[in-house]
Structure formats: structure tokens, C-alpha cells
Amino acid sequence: MLNSFFTAFNNKKFNMKIFYCLLTLTLFTASSVFSQTEPCWEEVWSDEFNVDGLPDSTKWGYDLGGGGWGNNELQTYTKDLKNAKVENGKLIITAIKENNNWTSARLISKGKGDWKYGRIEVKAKLPAAAKGTWSAIWMLPTDWEYGGWPKSGEIDIMENVGYDPNTIVGTVHTDAYNHGKGTQRGNTTVVNDNASAFHVYAIEWYQDSITFFVDDKQYHIFENEYETYAEWPFDKRQHLLLNIAMGGNWGGLQGIDANLTSATMEIEYVKVFQNESSMAIDGEKSAIKSQAGLTFRAPYSKDFTYSWEVPADATILGSSTDSVVTVNWGCSEGTVICHITGTCGVIDLEHNVTLKEAEITGSKFAAPNETGLTYAIDSLANTTYTWTVPEGATITSGGGTNKITVTWNNATGSVSLDISNNCVDTKVSFQTYLAGQYPYPDLDSPHAIPGEIEATDYDYGGEGIAYHDTDNKNEGQGLRGDEAVDTEFGDASKTNVGWINNGEWLEYTVTVAESNWYEAKIRAGSAGAPDSMSISFNDEVKFGPVKIKGTGSWSIFVAQSVGKAYLEAGEYVMRYKFFKGGYNVGKIAFTVTTAPPAPEPEPEPEPEEPNGIEDEIFAHVKLYPNPSSGDLLLSGIQNISKVVLVDIVGRTQEVAFTREKVHLYSVKINSIPKGVYTIQAFAGNGILKRRISLK
């Protein structure tokens, strides 16, 4: 009976205002149409595809292009009528093979239909069974406030692949739960006639859960654990996507049917409903005292009326009866309230706003005498702005406003702003550094060794200073997209550097806490043969060259030892030098370790006879006594300028010497620890090298 009720409402010939009233229901089971008992649902957005031609441009945009879309898909998305059209009351999305290339369409409601919470349902008929198709009804973040995929979340209302045609999959992806880590949260249900009949695919999204349905039958629920955004990023608005992909990491697992030339998904309607528990105001959660122009947005429906309230010391600019309101904030935190009147009666939504400190945004780096630098603060109402720049710098425009333009001087310095209004009388500052190489992300804090360093945390400075990349753009979709280093989220959704080519390098400013032996392990992945890299400190190679091992896939990262090295305490510029490309690198970990075992001692040399490392130029030189426990004599050599001892692990130290006669020198080794060394005596254009043993 309940399903019949919704069938009547879902029929597009039923022309009265659509809403769901559940007040009379006394029993709910796990397969009920709604996962929570609420008195009433309001329709807030819909498209029933009543006008033939291209999809309604006021409701739909397009994602365009190819490139695999992060999943090695084969199609190129277009906005051509052949790939997406409205006909006979249905949206028809068609993937087409022409000249051995696939085209398709991916419709998006971004900026035209964006929601936080509610019931989103799509009545659709899926492509006929054929290997290679991958159809989807899904949602992505509109604002990506928590960061790139998967940090800001993804909701897959319905996915279906052609080689498993009767299985419907509903899934969520977050930073903690995603297919990159193998931790995605989802479930499946079987719909045997999904290609010959229309079915309703839906979610109900609340602040505490997302529930998945097919034809009002629940088959999966994902619950808010109330931990961090990594588990639940679904408190931000998202938009809808409708598409057919071809091939890809999932759809193409069994290849593509060689005889397949087209695949079609038909959609009868898209509808979005909200109720009191699934409605919320979107807007700033914090504000500066006296901040101007804050925007708050309530769920929209043409059938709603609105009435807004703000704290007594805040001011509404313009109308207070629209779905969107603009506010000049006051001096204290408070609550924004929107009274919505619809078919279900009056719903009162509340949105709390806390206070935050004012901050200047601006140019972090400046070249000497650079022009056109900008500094700004959020606009404040009825405020006096007094800017101060370093001596030698000049404000060229904007003085007395919340945004200025500056010509810089030739040194690091601070821009400051005095703010005065009814709420505050304060001063804020912003440091600008003279262009150069600095630690990232904190310019004043080098990376610590021992510790871990993310590959994407290479220094500020840019091409040729902090890194060298062989192209001029970020080939990935990871952090620092305005720079040329190719970054992505390929290491189980954590950051990494990829697309590494021969001769590229990255630099990191580091501080070694104490002189000690350290082992370095770097996370790396490669689908190909082993390739090589080294790690140097102040241009001295300390680790490597080492071959990066193949792991079977670019996205399978394994911690691989780069070796052990003795590092003196101090600050260094650490450089990754990539001799050959073809692998991806993630974070590196430095841990204190023990020295490598000493090599087996060689037989002690005969006294007064050269041994070990021979040098023809100085073959006639006598070195004695050897072994020695006191001074060492060098006979038959002159013009010595420096004497160095090198121990078995490569550490060097310069030692004192005196000239006893024209061809006789005494080397002072009384204070040197016993062991096996190589002595290097620099004389004229040559270097005497001999192995010695100290007792």
C-alpha cells in the first residue's frame, strides 16, 4: 500500500504539489520508504524532462573531456545532443562508439542544484547488459571544503557495471573509508530487470546517517561515527552527477564487448525532498566582529516563504524574505534563524555563528622591488583601516580600504593593519618574505630528523630553486596544484609525487637533531623495472644511489630502505635526485639506527712498507712505523699541504703534521682512536694514499 502511495505521487501525470506525508503511518520496518519517522517531506528541486532537446541549462551543466577521469576510463564526455538529450519525457544519456573512440555525457547539477541533507531520488532504466559499461547516479562535494578526493566525500547512489548487470551498488567514499584503501563502505542489491524497467534509486541523507534504497526498499545504511571529517565529511553541500562511463578500473575489468557500439541510460525524473530533520542553513560558521556581507542560504523551493532573524547587533541587508540573506555581523556570537513556511507548515531552522580573529591574506613572497602585491582583510562594516608597510615599500592603491596594492622593497618585512570600529580596536600583521628557498609548510620550521617528511612538502621557492620538474604543470590532482611538481593522492589516498622523469629533483630544508646514524625508508610504488635515486645533504650524497623496487602497480606503495648514513647535527638542504623516472614516492621516515658492521680487518701491513692503497706517483715514499701508536713518519716526500685520515665508514678528519727535514714529515696521531684508516697526504698536485693501522 505504501509503495502504491508513492507510485501515484511519482507518476509525472500527477500534477498537484508533491510531498510525502507519513503522519498516519504507525509501523516502519527496515525496508520502509523512509529510514526516520518524520511528519512531512517537501519537494525542493526536480526535473521531469518535459521539454525535448538539450537538458534544461538552468538545472544541468556538463563535465567535459577525456583523460581517464582518474579511473582509466575510455570515453570523452561531450555536451552534444547525440550523447545527452530529452525526448518523450525522458533524459537519454548515450555512450557511442565512433571510429573506435567512445563519447558519452556526464551531467552535473553543480551551482544549479546543491543540497545538504534530504532525500534524493532518480527514476532510471539502466544500459542493457554488455561488458564495458559503467553507469552511475552519484554525488560530489560542491565546495570541497575538506580538500581533494576523497577528503570531502563522495556518495554513490547507484552504480552498475555491464559485466555484472543485475547488481546495484551503493557506496560512500571518505578519507577514512575509500576504495584506495580497500575500506569503502557500501552494499549491493539485485535488480534483475534494471535494463528493461524503470526503478527508483534513492538515498536519505541526514546529519547522522545516509540510507540507500531501490524502489523504497532499504539495502544499505552508513552512519555518522561523530569522530572527524575523515569518517564523515557529509556536513557540506553536494551536487548530483548522471553519467555512463566506458571501461575503466572497474567497468573494464573484463574488457569491453568488441561488438558493442552504444549504451543508453534513460531517466524519467530526478527529485529532491527535504524535511525538518534534513533541512539546514548553509553559511559561515564563524565571523569576524563587524564582518560585512555574510551570506546565509536556506533550502529553496518556489513554494516556500521565508522569514529571517539575526542577533540584535547584526543587520540584514536587503530583503529578509528570500531563501538567501546577506548580513553585516555584530560584536558577538549568535544564531541566525530562518522560518520556512511550506505545505508541511512552518519549519524553524537555526544556524550558530561563533567569532574568529581577523587575519590578513596576501603575498607570502616578494621579489626585490616587486610591484602589484596585494594584501586584504575580510570586509568590515563601518570600519577605519590604517595600513603600515615596511620602510622602502609603498602602498600604490587601496589605502583606507580593506584591500591594498603594494610595491615591495628589497627585504623581508611585515605588513600591518590597524582596525577600528564599534566592536574592535586592534592591530593584525602579515609577514612577507623576500623570494628564496624556505621550508614548507611553515617557513620558519624545517622538517625534523628523526621524523617523517611527506614528499609533497618540498620547499617553497619554485622551479630551479626548490625543485626541478621537466614540464610546467602539475600532472596530478593533488596538493600545490599551482606548481609544476606532479602531486596526487595515490598512496592509499595519501599524498605522493608521481610522473617522475629522469633528472628531476626535490629539495627539503631539514634539521638533524643529533649527530648519529640514521636509516631512511621511503614509500614508493612502481609498475615497471627498478629505477634509481639518491638523497644528498648540502650536495653530499648520504643515501644511495639506490634502486627503487617494482611493486606491481603505481598505486601500491611499499616502504623501501634507502640505506644508512651518519648525519651530523645541524640544518641542511636535503635533495632527492631522480636519476631515472618511472616510479612514485610518498613520505620518507628517518629513524636512529646502529652503525653498519665494520668490514673484516685486513692483515696488518709489514712495518715501513707501503700497503693497501698504492699510488704510483708516491711509490718511493716510506711510511713508518705501521702499525703505530704514536707519531707517524713520512720519508721521501716534500711540500705537504694537508693530511687527512678517513675511517672505514667514510668520515674524515684533518690531522696536524710538522716538517722535520726536507723530505721527512711527522704526522701527529697520538689522540686518534685506534683502528684502520686511510691516510691522505696532499703534496703538490698529487695525493699520497696509504692504509694504516693505529694501536
Side-chain angles (χ1 to χ4, degrees):
M1 178 177 177
L2 186 58
N3 286 343
S4 298
F5 175 82
F6 284 112
T7 299
F9 272 88
N10 290 336
N11 189 323
K12 69 192 186 93
K13 295 181 180 178
F14 194 95
N15 292 322
M16 69 171 287
K17 169 90 175 73
I18 299 175
F19 66 97
Y20 294 125
C21 290
L22 306 181
L23 185 62
T24 58
L25 296 177
T26 58
L27 178 65
F28 286 84
T29 67
S31 61
S32 296
V33 60
F34 295 127
S35 59
Q36 302 193 19
T37 304
E38 291 296 336
C40 198
W41 290 79
E42 300 270 12
E43 181 181 304
V44 297
W45 195 92
S46 69
D47 195 344
E48 300 190 46
F49 307 110
N50 291 324
V51 179
D52 288 355
L54 289 170
D56 186 345
S57 62
T58 67
K59 297 180 178 180
W60 302 102
Y62 301 85
D63 278 336
L64 301 174
W69 292 94
N71 296 300
N72 295 311
E73 300 163 20
L74 299 181
Q75 79 289 336
T76 297
Y77 288 126
T78 81
K79 57 180 179 180
D80 292 343
L81 198 63
K82 66 181 181 181
N83 295 121
K85 63 181 178 181
V86 176
E87 187 175 84
N88 298 324
K90 298 177 181 63
L91 169 65
I92 301 172
I93 297 175
T94 306
I96 301 172
K97 183 179 181 181
E98 296 177 313
N99 300 320
N100 211 35
N101 294 314
W102 285 94
T103 59
S104 186
R106 185 156 109 172
L107 273 65
I108 61 173
S109 68
K110 184 176 182 178
K112 306 166 190 276
D114 308 275
W115 313 279
K116 182 175 76 173
Y117 311 140
R119 176 179 170 91
I120 295 93
E121 63 178 47
V122 179
K123 188 173 184 179
K125 184 167 67 174
L126 305 185
K131 288 193 298 184
T133 64
W134 182 357
S135 53
I137 300 167
W138 53 306
M139 302 184 77
L140 281 177
T142 295
D143 305 302
W144 297 93
E145 292 184 46
Y146 292 122
W149 192 95
K151 291 178 184 270
S152 292
E154 173 183 327
I155 305 171
D156 298 321
I157 299 172
M158 186 290 305
E159 289 186 284
N160 173 260
V161 292
Y163 68 81
D164 189 11
N166 299 328
T167 299
I168 301 301
V169 182
T171 321
V172 300
H173 298 279
T174 74
D175 193 35
Y177 307 123
N178 61 78
H179 66 263
K181 294 180 177 178
T183 57
Q184 71 273 17
R185 297 292 181 91
N187 205 353
T188 64
T189 188
V190 174
V191 181
N192 290 316
D193 62 344
N194 61 56
S196 59
F198 284 89
H199 295 273
V200 177
Y201 304 95
I203 61 165
E204 288 176 26
W205 173 17
Y206 293 88
Q207 66 178 359
D208 63 356
S209 64
I210 302 173
T211 308
F212 294 73
F213 303 89
V214 175
D215 294 333
D216 304 328
K217 181 178 180 181
Q218 176 184 323
Y219 69 96
H220 178 52
I221 184 169
F222 176 73
E223 296 182 325
N224 188 351
E225 299 171 13
Y226 292 99
E227 296 290 341
T228 69
Y229 82 88
E231 295 78 25
W232 182 271
F234 303 114
D235 59 349
K236 307 293 182 184
R237 61 181 186 157
Q238 295 209 352
H239 59 275
L240 193 64
L241 298 93
L242 311 170
N243 69 284
I244 301 175
M246 295 302 302
N249 297 342
W250 183 20
L253 274 179
Q254 296 186 15
I256 298 179
D257 186 339
N259 297 317
L260 185 65
T261 59
S262 67
T264 298
M265 176 166 65
E266 297 183 40
I267 297 169
E268 187 170 301
Y269 68 74
V270 177
K271 296 177 182 177
V272 180
F273 303 87
Q274 291 185 320
N275 60 17
E276 186 168 2
S277 292
S278 67
M279 287 184 179
I281 296 171
D282 272 332
E284 294 292 337
K285 293 184 177 180
S286 60
I288 304 169
K289 292 179 180 180
S290 297
Q291 186 168 347
L294 296 175
T295 299
F296 300 95
R297 180 181 293 105
Y300 172 78
S301 171
K302 60 182 176 59
D303 298 309
F304 288 168
T305 59
Y306 303 88
S307 176
W308 291 85
E309 293 181 25
V310 296
D313 59 353
T315 304
I316 296 175
L317 305 179
S319 174
S320 63
T321 58
D322 294 332
S323 63
V324 180
V325 68
T326 303
V327 176
N328 284 349
W329 202 250
C331 302
S332 57
E333 61 185 26
T335 302
V336 175
I337 301 172
C338 185
H339 307 286
I340 299 176
T341 303
T343 307
C344 297
V346 178
I347 296 172
D348 298 320
L349 302 181
E350 295 188 357
H351 182 85
N352 294 322
V353 179
T354 60
L355 294 178
K356 63 181 180 181
E357 296 299 321
E359 292 183 350
I360 297 172
T361 59
S363 303
K364 188 182 294 290
F365 302 102
N369 305 312
E370 183 175 351
T371 62
L373 302 179
T374 60
Y375 300 88
I377 192 170
D378 289 320
S379 179
L380 306 178
N382 304 314
T383 295
T384 300
Y385 305 93
T386 305
W387 292 89
T388 304
V389 297
E391 183 178 356
T394 306
I395 298 174
T396 56
S397 67
T401 72
N402 69 306
K403 180 178 180 181
I404 60 171
T405 304
V406 174
T407 295
W408 201 247
N409 58 15
N410 58 1
T412 293
S414 180
V415 173
S416 61
L417 171 65
D418 288 296
I419 303 167
S420 180
N421 57 43
N422 291 334
C423 296
V424 295
D425 191 357
T426 188
K427 184 174 186 175
V428 291
S429 298
F430 182 89
Q431 186 84 349
T432 290
Y433 295 79
L434 200 63
Q437 185 168 354
Y438 299 90
Y440 177 95
D442 185 343
L443 285 80
D444 298 312
S445 299
H447 301 291
I449 294 177
E452 295 183 343
I453 303 171
E454 296 289 348
T456 52
D457 284 350
Y458 56 89
D459 283 353
Y460 290 111
E463 170 63 37
I465 297 176
Y467 65 81
H468 168 58
D469 197 275
T470 54
D471 56 42
N472 60 3
K473 66 175 182 177
N474 187 339
E475 298 287 351
Q477 296 181 335
L479 302 175
R480 307 179 72 175
D482 58 341
E483 300 191 69
V485 177
D486 307 310
T487 65
E488 57 183 346
F489 295 93
D491 182 6
S493 300
K494 291 182 170 54
T495 62
N496 70 276
V497 172
W499 289 271
I500 294 171
N501 290 321
N502 301 358
E504 294 183 338
W505 49 266
L506 300 166
E507 289 189 345
Y508 308 78
T509 301
V510 301
T511 297
V512 179
E514 61 175 334
S515 300
N516 214 327
W517 282 91
Y518 294 89
E519 182 176 19
K521 289 185 177 181
I522 192 167
R523 291 186 59 81
S526 174
D531 295 303
S532 58
M533 67 173 289
S534 68
I535 302 175
S536 62
F537 286 69
N538 288 359
D539 297 326
E540 181 181 355
V541 174
K542 290 291 188 179
F543 298 90
V546 63
K547 289 188 177 294
I548 298 297
K549 300 174 183 177
T551 59
S553 170
W554 310 115
S555 60
I556 297 176
F557 284 69
V558 176
Q560 305 185 26
S561 178
V562 187
K564 295 182 177 182
Y566 188 86
L567 302 177
E568 298 282 353
E571 186 172 307
Y572 299 88
V573 173
M574 179 182 75
R575 174 182 283 200
Y576 291 175
K577 175 68 174 179
F578 304 116
F579 297 103
K580 292 185 65 178
Y583 49 93
N584 300 336
V585 294
K587 70 181 177 183
I588 189 170
F590 291 92
T591 55
V592 174
T593 187
T594 56
E600 291 294 326
E602 297 181 5
E604 292 187 352
E606 293 295 327
E608 301 185 7
E609 290 296 328
N611 86 93
I613 302 171
E614 299 293 338
D615 191 319
E616 293 181 358
I617 299 176
F618 298 102
H620 60 286
V621 174
K622 300 292 185 179
L623 182 153
Y624 57 91
N626 189 11
S628 175
S629 58
D631 289 353
L632 189 68
L633 296 177
L634 292 174
S635 176
I637 190 170
Q638 62 180 341
N639 299 326
I640 292 179
S641 60
K642 182 172 67 173
V643 178
V644 172
L645 293 185
V646 184
D647 68 14
I648 60 174
V649 295
R651 290 176 293 188
T652 64
Q653 57 183 316
E654 190 170 346
V655 294
F657 64 93
T658 59
R659 181 181 174 185
E660 305 295 335
K661 296 181 180 180
V662 175
H663 296 289
L664 180 65
Y665 287 79
S666 175
V667 181
K668 310 302 181 183
I669 56 174
N670 293 336
S671 62
I672 304 299
K674 63 182 180 180
V676 178
Y677 295 81
T678 297
I679 187 171
Q680 299 180 356
F682 294 75
N685 295 324
I687 305 174
L688 166 71
K689 297 180 181 179
R690 297 286 173 84
R691 187 66 53 82
I692 63 170
S693 178
L694 304 185
K695 294 184 176 180

